[in-house]
Every structure is written in structure tokens, then in C-alpha cells.
Amino acid sequence: MRFSLSLPREALSIPMIRRVVGDALRGLGVAENCVDDLLVATSEACTNAVQHARAPGEYRVTLHADESDCVLKIMDRGSGPRPAPRERGVLSESGRGLSIMQALVDDLDIQTSPDRGTVVHLRKRLSWRDEALVRRLERKLMHTAG
């Protein structure tokens, strides 16, 4: 499955992208804990795009999911991650997005370019519910191959 969405750089777009990504992955039969990890990581990346991109307008989210991995790309016209503040209080509510994303996905890569902006790549190995379409197809193929 592949799709690409262009979204306005507004906070209201973040719950919408969570809904679209979550519904798509659940529809494929991805395990709920895997969906949850991807949704939190995607929310963090989209929040950064909404809050920090330098150019007005839109940001883009693409998703590619196959039988093993899900790759999400969040693209904006921003200049990339800022250095972490030296002194962050224990109760600080910002500055933890990159750490959260790293903890939830298998690969995190951030590419920045002055003329193209920032692209956040999130990749996670997928785990599946037993009743997932992918699992049913695998079982069917196993029976016909043996």
C-alpha cells in the first residue's frame, strides 16, 4: 500500500493524519502495538513540521507498507532539527520528539537541505494480527506449496 497526502501546516492536520495512517494500517491487519508506535512517531514528526517549517503552506506525508515494513516520510520546508537546549527541566514538554521517534521505530533518518527542506524517514518492521489478510494469504500459499 502506498499513499501521499499534502496537509496544511496547522495543528488540526495532526489528528487527521493519525486517523488516516491508523485506519490504513489497521485495515491491513497490522498489530495494534505496532500501529500505536507508528502513530506516536508520526505525530512527533508532523508536530515538528507544523511548528518549525520556515515556509508557509503545506507539508507532505507519504506511507509505504508491505508485508515486512512500513516507511513513512514527513516532508516540509524547514531547516531540520535544532540542537537540544542545554538545560531542560524534568517537566519540560518540548525537545523530546527525536528521542521518542528513535525509541518507537527501527530506523529514523533526517535529511535536510537548504533548497529542499527537511525529510524525516521513519521505518518500522511490521507485526501482524493473526486474522490479518497478509497472514491468511501466507497460510494459503503454504498449503498450496506443500
Side-chain angles (χ1 to χ4, degrees), residues 46-118:
C46 290
T47 297
N48 287 343
V50 166
Q51 292 180 349
H52 303 300
R54 68 174 179 261
E58 298 179 333
Y59 67 103
R60 194 166 46 145
V61 176
T62 65
L63 178 142
H64 174 247
D66 59 26
E67 64 277 352
S68 60
D69 295 311
C70 178
V71 176
L72 284 139
K73 292 182 186 176
I74 297 84
M75 297 156 274
D76 65 50
R77 300 295 298 166
S79 57
R82 298 178 189 168
R86 288 187 181 171
E87 295 194 28
R88 180 174 43 219
V90 221
L91 300 178
S92 174
E93 293 185 22
S94 65
R96 292 183 168 85
L98 292 176
S99 298
I100 290 170
M101 287 185 272
Q102 284 178 318
L104 295 173
V105 298
D106 296 305
D107 293 309
L108 168 66
D109 183 52
I110 301 171
Q111 299 171 345
T112 59
S113 167
D115 56 328
R116 291 191 354 238
T118 300

Side-chain angles (χ1 to χ4, degrees), residues 27-40:
L28 290 174
V30 175
E32 194 61 34
N33 62 335
C34 194
V35 172
D36 291 343
D37 288 350
L38 282 163
L39 292 181
V40 172

